[in-house]
Amino acid sequence: MRRLLWASIALALAGCAVGIELAAPPNLYSEGTNYPVNEVPLALRSVEPQILYITDREAVREGGEVVGYSATRSDAMVFGAAKVRFGARDWPDLIERTHVDRRGRISNLSLMGVHEQVSFDALPLPDERRDGGLRVLPAAEQSYEEGRRAFQARIRAEIARTGNRRILVYAHGIANNFEDSVTALANIWHFAGRQSIPLAFSWPAGNRGPLGYFRDRAAGDFSVFHAKEFLRTLAEMPEVESIDIVAHSRGTDVITQALREMIIFQRGRGVPPKLGMKTGTLILAAADLDTGIVRQRLLAERFSEAFEQVSIYVNPDDRALKLSSFVTKSGRIGTLAGDTFTSDDVRRLAKEGLVFFIRVQGAGRTNSHSYFRQNPAVLSDIVLTLRTRAFPGGTLRPLDAEDDGFWLLRANYPLERLPDLSTVYDELSDAFPDRIRRVERVR
């Protein structure tokens, strides 16, 4: 009986996996407007764009060629480009599908192939005790630095090709394979207007069997240092303007652990975390984070100081996180049930820390955990956040304020208050003049 219970829990938690298709268009685009088609760089107006990735999964090879990546851990990171294909005839057809689709016009989304570009050395690097401490061997340090510089050169080339200087990082949850991570990011990046460089951090999740959930959790802990390394390498590039991060489910734990350590490092060297890390917006959806640990390890250390804003989507009916709470005997931030945060706590976090809790309405049984990319209302708010940088409650992001300090995201958001984003380009030109000039150059 106990084995059956654990098997049922594991199968339910596997609901973190997402289907591979173009997500239902955000409500934001339901009237055939608002997609920034004229602002998409010419180099990115394609139904077969490339999604960059960095992974510490073991490669899967066929005939000596890398065709994908498994759930097995690798001590060495690999950076590459994955080609995806949106199921549309051409760019105009894809734009049409982006605006309408309640009658079966949702296209498929396929991973066409991967191309490895940079291989990092395996970690940890060999060291020796010298001068009262441990020092990485000079040859090993030089070799690893060459990998970092090669990675930066590839990012620099993509910035030059597209004109985009913002990076959009996506970290997936448990039960997701490599293809899931790339295609989920492709959906978010496309609907957000392709005004960033998409980079999927694909950690070795997707372990099978009744213990798969626990093996994936351990794999996430394994990947924290790698996440920190690639984010640090990006932040050191003067060409990179800002790094936005979207994390889902257990990926929120991987990313926040890495970011926390980076924040401590930046403060230790006397640099404001946001300045040293170049972090922009942080979006946590269906966060599989222990609420007590969040209070003690993130909030107590002023974690949100490193970001323009932090949006945390909460679904009290998230079945997967309810099971996670049952397994771990602790509440999860993604449901935020109970009295973990008082109304005063929530209001203070919003005012002082720019941390916004957003309660999702209408995320039913079929997408109670994967709503971040399957729910047209939630996807609308994510898109508005990334495109406009607006805080909740204004014209550009018309969420409803609730009495307990939460923001309510209604099932048909943004309702009749659908913002006209045709003027956003002009409004942003005052706040981000350098960014606007870059867009004009690539038109």
Side-chain angles (χ1 to χ4, degrees):
M1 183 69 177
R2 180 173 294 180
R3 288 182 179 179
L4 180 60
L5 173 62
W6 285 115
S8 300
I9 291 173
L11 287 172
L13 289 170
C16 294
V18 294
I20 301 173
E21 63 179 16
L22 181 63
N27 294 336
L28 177 66
Y29 302 143
S30 63
E31 294 185 2
T33 59
N34 277 329
Y35 190 77
V37 61
N38 293 326
E39 295 177 36
V40 176
L42 292 174
L44 298 178
R45 298 179 189 180
S46 169
V47 296
E48 292 188 355
Q50 67 176 14
I51 304 295
L52 304 182
Y53 66 86
I54 194 159
T55 185
D56 53 1
R57 298 172 180 263
E58 283 286 353
V60 175
R61 301 178 186 274
E62 293 181 3
E65 298 290 329
V66 175
V67 296
Y69 298 90
S70 70
T72 303
R73 304 177 190 182
S74 171
D75 289 331
M77 292 188 296
V78 171
F79 168 76
K83 177 181 282 190
V84 299
R85 177 171 178 80
F86 291 88
R89 293 187 304 275
D90 51 26
W91 176 247
D93 184 41
L94 178 58
I95 295 304
E96 184 178 354
R97 293 171 188 266
T98 298
H99 281 111
V100 285
D101 189 76
R102 298 295 182 268
R103 294 181 298 279
R105 286 179 49 78
I106 297 175
S107 67
N108 63 323
L109 180 56
S110 306
L111 176 61
M112 305 297 290
V114 298
H115 174 55
E116 289 192 355
Q117 298 180 352
V118 178
S119 295
F120 290 78
D121 292 337
L123 297 172
L125 299 175
D127 54 30
E128 62 181 358
R129 184 167 292 278
R130 188 174 70 248
D131 302 326
L134 287 175
R135 303 287 186 268
V136 175
L137 297 179
E141 185 173 24
Q142 179 180 349
S143 178
Y144 188 73
E145 284 302 309
E146 288 174 356
R148 293 179 70 243
R149 287 195 295 269
F151 168 64
Q152 290 175 331
R154 294 288 184 173
I155 297 296
R156 194 172 293 115
E158 190 65 8
I159 290 173
R161 185 178 77 92
T162 65
N164 290 337
R165 291 181 59 184
R166 298 191 79 99
I167 311 293
L168 176 60
V169 172
Y170 171 67
H172 59 82
I174 70 162
N176 279 212
N177 59 32
F178 175 77
E179 188 171 4
D180 293 330
S181 65
V182 170
T183 54
L185 174 57
N187 269 292
I188 298 170
W189 173 72
H190 171 69
F191 285 125
R194 303 193 179 197
Q195 295 172 50
S196 59
I197 294 175
L199 178 58
F201 178 60
S202 191
W203 53 279
N207 288 278
R208 302 292 183 181
L211 298 179
Y213 173 71
F214 304 98
R215 290 169 179 157
D216 277 5
R217 285 176 64 97
D221 291 336
F222 164 82
S223 296
V224 169
F225 186 78
H226 287 152
K228 183 171 63 175
E229 279 294 281
F230 97 83
L231 288 171
R232 174 176 72 92
T233 304
L234 281 175
E236 290 175 358
M237 297 181 60
E239 298 86 355
V240 170
E241 179 182 282
S242 186
I243 303 169
D244 296 322
I245 302 172
V246 178
H248 176 238
S249 187
R250 197 62 189 171
T252 61
D253 183 66
V254 179
I255 285 295
T256 54
Q257 284 193 64
L259 290 169
R260 172 182 173 270
E261 294 180 14
M262 293 174 69
I263 290 169
I264 293 172
F265 173 77
Q266 294 297 336
R267 287 182 179 144
R269 61 192 286 256
V271 176
K274 189 180 184 310
L275 181 63
M277 296 163 59
K278 294 189 177 178
T279 33
T281 294
L282 176 64
I283 295 174
L284 305 178
D288 191 1
L289 291 169
D290 184 303
T291 53
I293 291 176
V294 168
R295 290 184 67 93
Q296 295 300 316
R297 299 191 70 195
L298 299 185
L299 300 184
E301 292 179 359
R302 309 185 311 281
F303 176 85
S304 65
E305 183 182 52
F307 307 94
E308 294 174 7
Q309 63 173 301
V310 180
S311 290
I312 302 176
Y313 292 94
V314 173
N315 177 14
D317 298 320
D318 189 318
R319 292 188 299 160
L321 291 187
K322 285 183 178 180
L323 285 169
S324 179
S325 297
F326 172 78
V327 170
T328 61
K329 304 298 182 183
S330 62
R332 318 314 284 172
I333 284 293
T335 57
L336 213 59
D339 57 357
T340 304
F341 294 98
T342 66
S343 297
D344 288 341
D345 286 337
V346 174
R347 293 189 183 94
R348 179 179 56 80
L349 285 169
K351 180 179 179 181
E352 305 297 336
L354 301 181
V355 177
F356 305 109
F357 289 96
I358 302 164
R359 185 176 287 122
V360 177
Q361 183 185 73
R365 295 177 60 85
T366 58
N367 65 354
S368 67
H369 190 64
S370 58
Y371 59 81
F372 80 105
R373 59 144 292 208
Q374 294 182 336
N375 184 303
V378 178
L379 192 52
S380 290
D381 195 55
I382 291 175
V383 166
L384 286 170
T385 303
L386 294 173
R387 282 185 58 186
T388 71
R389 333 303 296 176
F391 294 155
T395 303
L396 295 177
R397 204 174 162 199
L399 294 162
D400 293 324
E402 298 204 288
D403 292 338
D404 58 2
F406 279 66
W407 293 92
L408 178 64
L409 194 155
R410 299 184 185 277
N412 54 350
Y413 173 88
L415 307 170
E416 70 280 356
R417 293 171 295 176
L418 181 71
D420 179 5
L421 296 185
S422 62
T423 62
V424 171
Y425 180 84
D426 296 328
E427 293 173 8
L428 287 179
S429 65
D430 295 331
F432 303 102
D434 291 340
R435 178 185 175 196
I436 297 303
R437 283 195 292 271
R438 281 191 296 276
V439 172
E440 289 173 342
R441 285 200 298 268
V442 297
R443 280 183 170 181

